[in-house]
Amino acid sequence: MNNQRTLDSTDARILLALAADPRATVVALAEQLGLSRNTVQARVTRMEQGGALGSFERRITPTALGYPLTAFVTAQVNQHRLAEISEALAAVDEVVEVFGLSGETDLLVRVVAADAEDLYRIAGRILAVPGIERTATALAMRNLVPHRITPLLRRASDGK
């Protein structure tokens, strides 16, 4: 979403309703929230176009696709090759997210794997990317706080 535009409490209420029922129609959302259908449609369209609504992919679990392991690979890289490194990491199917970091570590790479041997292969492939100087891999043992936005939406919908 454009950094200049933030969501208002009505937008947050719409998103909360969609989080609770992602398949809800615009008409159902309008009735539930006491808004006009046109208002809901216009706001949902604006949020989609503005990037407030992420991709459907976020809802698909890697485990369902045969990738029960999640690991985080930290990498130190040659900063001059960051674009090339990013492109190479995006070409690795098991790389599901990459974050550029401040501090001693340059990248945080979230990967999924079928098993330990598969993770070893993926980690080696990441280390072989030209411009990656050093990596460390940590296996996620348990997801203690799953990805969530609802608490922030609740706060925004209350206008606080």
Side-chain angles (χ1 to χ4, degrees):
M1 178 130 212
N2 182 337
N3 290 335
Q4 302 300 325
R5 168 79 171 108
T6 58
L7 302 178
D8 64 19
S9 62
T10 301
D11 294 331
R13 288 176 53 226
I14 293 168
L15 292 174
L16 274 170
L18 279 171
D21 184 4
R23 296 180 185 169
T25 65
V26 170
V27 171
L29 291 170
E31 287 176 11
Q32 177 185 345
L33 299 170
L35 299 169
S36 76
R37 183 194 59 76
N38 288 341
T39 296
V40 173
Q41 182 65 61
R43 284 174 176 260
V44 168
T45 298
R46 182 179 39 83
M47 288 187 281
E48 286 174 337
Q49 292 172 346
L53 294 173
S55 93
F56 178 78
E57 283 185 36
R58 189 96 173 145
R59 299 186 60 209
I60 302 167
T61 63
T63 300
L65 299 172
Y67 298 92
L69 297 183
T70 296
F72 295 91
V73 179
T74 56
Q76 292 178 328
V77 304
N78 177 333
Q79 293 289 326
H80 298 291
R81 300 181 82 173
L82 195 54
E84 176 187 344
I85 292 166
S86 297
E87 189 175 308
L89 291 174
V92 178
D93 293 343
E94 296 87 356
V95 170
V96 294
E97 284 184 298
V98 180
F99 294 93
L101 305 176
S102 63
E104 292 181 30
T105 297
D106 298 312
L107 300 178
L108 177 64
V109 183
R110 181 175 163 226
V111 302
V112 296
D115 53 34
E117 189 160 326
D118 193 34
L119 178 58
Y120 185 80
R121 176 191 62 79
I122 296 161
R125 190 165 171 201
I126 291 170
L127 185 56
V129 169
I132 292 187
E133 298 167 352
R134 184 175 313 136
T135 64
T137 302
L139 182 63
M141 301 300 288
R142 187 185 317 169
N143 188 345
L144 299 173
V145 179
H147 178 82
R148 64 196 186 129
I149 298 294
T150 302
L152 299 174
L153 287 171
R154 284 191 186 115
R155 180 185 294 169
S157 71
D158 291 341
K160 297 177 184 177

